[in-house]
Amino acid sequence: MADAAFEGRTLVKVFGELRAVGGITVAVQRGEIYGLVGPSGAGKTTLIRMLCGLTTPTSGEARLLGHLMPKERRAVEDRFGYMPQERAVYRDLSVGENLLFFGRIYGMSRPAVARRTRELLTLMRLADRAKQLSAHLSGGEKQRLSLACTLIHEPDALLLDEPTIGLDPALRLEFWDHFRTLAATGRTLLVSTHYVHEAERCGRVGLVQRGRLAAEGAPPDLKAWASTASGGPVSDMEDVFLILCRSEGGLR
Amino acid sequence: MKANRVLTVAERVLRQLAHDRRVLVYMLLIPGVAMILFGYSFSGDITGIRTAFIDEDNTDLTASILENLEKDDAFRVTVLPPGEDPEQLLLKGGYQAVIRIPDKFTSLYYAHFAMGVATTAQGTIDLCVDESDPQIASTVAMGLADAIMDLGEGGPVNIETRELYGVEVRFIDSFAPAIMGLVVSLVSTVLTVLSIVREKVDGTFSRVWVSPVRRSEFILGYVVAFGLIALVQSIVVLSIGKLVFDIVINGSIVWAFVSVILFAVGSVGLGTLLSALARTESQAIVSFPLVVLPSVLLSGMMWPIQAIPAVLRPLSYIVPLTYSNRLLRAVMVKGLAPWEEPVGLAGVLVFVVLTIVLASLVLRQSAQEAG
Ligand SMILES: Nc1ncnc2c1ncn2[C@@H]1O[C@H](COP(=O)(O)OP(=O)(O)OP(=O)(O)O)[C@@H](O)[C@H]1O
Ligand SMILES: [Mg+2]
């Protein structure tokens, strides 16, 4: 799997007594959109943080664009973007200043940041908000700014932790269209989500449960698997998810 | 290390502060208010000591002693008729000092001159003073000695005073450097802690951590931002010192600024260290008295370190402000170059290196915890 953008090999993360991630092996190919779904507390965030070098695995190996994380993270530091689950923007900076900061630390020139800011703010429907203090943005607006901050330096690989939470359905659709566009230009996306039907839009989906990858595959395959498991027809990912939760993991 | 990224972090910190007008106002207000409050309440001059004056001799000479005492702000003189018992006045009458000039004082005083130094005959003034407050007692003794000296007759007491480091160093002159160090270090430490803790809580720290910004660049960014702020605050302190208190600055202003900025750098390091101990902004805030109290009480800012009980004195030597005070006083009051006060300079340098190195280590820890 030399071509994998993200790769985890029997990744384990233990917090005190708690096995937050209990041996996940996963590989996301370049240009792929990979969805992570699973109940709250399943270990999605922990997995993503290990893949981008923010959390050191207790055991196992995390690789990003072929480099061992967090050890070799300097080799890929400007080629990936991470969107934390919390709306990680500076409350006491304006929208434009947030983008300026995150663009500049990636070595972008001021004019380049300005151009990219216009693009992203239009995309995020925040074009008239550049001067507004982020603290005064609505929840969804902050979320959009947060995604813009992740995209500012045009990274090849994206780790997005619940990027669409708090957005209205129309905007969510637009986000996913944009994700598709990004993937079409060769970028790789690892997206965790609570909206299970969003998973339909992913190339492949991993179902995380209790720190393990309970099932993995393209949405049609997962549906087929779920209908076998439940003995009835399964039409959407929501059902797959519920069947999985009921079956207490261990379907692999 | 890229200067660009350091400056980007510094610019961000300054922009954040610029958006928060209240913080900005406080940052400029605190040095001013501190200078004025401390300056007035600790001006070092004791005034208005309740003093009874009993003149049993009643001559021109004793009248001018009274006049001199009344001119001195230290005393609030009440003239009482002869015959009152000084000790009773002190114990029951609410006086802090009683000065009684006995009968024949003037003739004995002049007799002394007539006969030269060989004589034991000498005017004596009876002074009763409340020893329970030694500072008041010594102020009274000194004030009285002054009042007699000022007679201009060259009395029997000959006090020789040597004044080093300037014509007359008042308390406020050596206080301004301490206020400068205190305010600059507090503001740098407190704002650094709050800013980094907020980054951890909000998750922006995770973003910065996965970006190309190095730990050293992150800390240096804060250092540059707060170095600039320290400069502005020092200017406020010095301006108020000059305008309101007419402080004497014997040394070089440039060295003073260099020294205070150096101290601010260490304070940013300390703030970064403290940020690792706090998970929330409230935890950070309640820890501030732990920084403020030792600085104010043990640094030799208000009273000399020699006045601190021996048990506590070792603590004085681990309070960073102790060294900053030595350094800044040497530079501003004595007019020395920083290296001519090696202990102060070394202390501040150790503080800077130690906190910055440790800060860089704890930041790694913070990144793992965050989010
Ligand atoms: N730093 C930490 N210290 C201790 N426990 C942690 C830490 N981070 C996560 N955990 C625990 O690990 C488990 C997995 O957390 P994680 O955030 O990965 O879940 P998640 O799948 O992202 O959940 P959600 O969908 O609610 O975001 C949780 O039980 C959480 O409490
Ligand atoms: Mg999560």
Side-chain angles (χ1 to χ4, degrees), chain B residues 29-42:
Chain B
L29 217 57
I30 289 171
V33 169
M35 189 66 199
I36 286 175
L37 275 184
F38 281 98
Y40 276 125
S41 48
F42 288 92

Side-chain angles (χ1 to χ4, degrees), chain B residues 229-253:
Chain B
I229 290 169
L231 185 63
V232 174
Q233 292 187 314
S234 308
I235 292 173
V236 172
V237 169
L238 288 186
S239 309
I240 292 183
K242 197 81 205 157
L243 294 176
V244 181
F245 298 100
D246 195 27
I247 56 166
V248 180
I249 302 167
N250 294 316
S252 132
I253 288 281

Side-chain angles (χ1 to χ4, degrees), chain A residues 44-45 85 161-162 192:
Chain A
K44 304 182 291 294
T45 298
Q85 183 168 2
D161 202 349
E162 313 221 5
S192 80

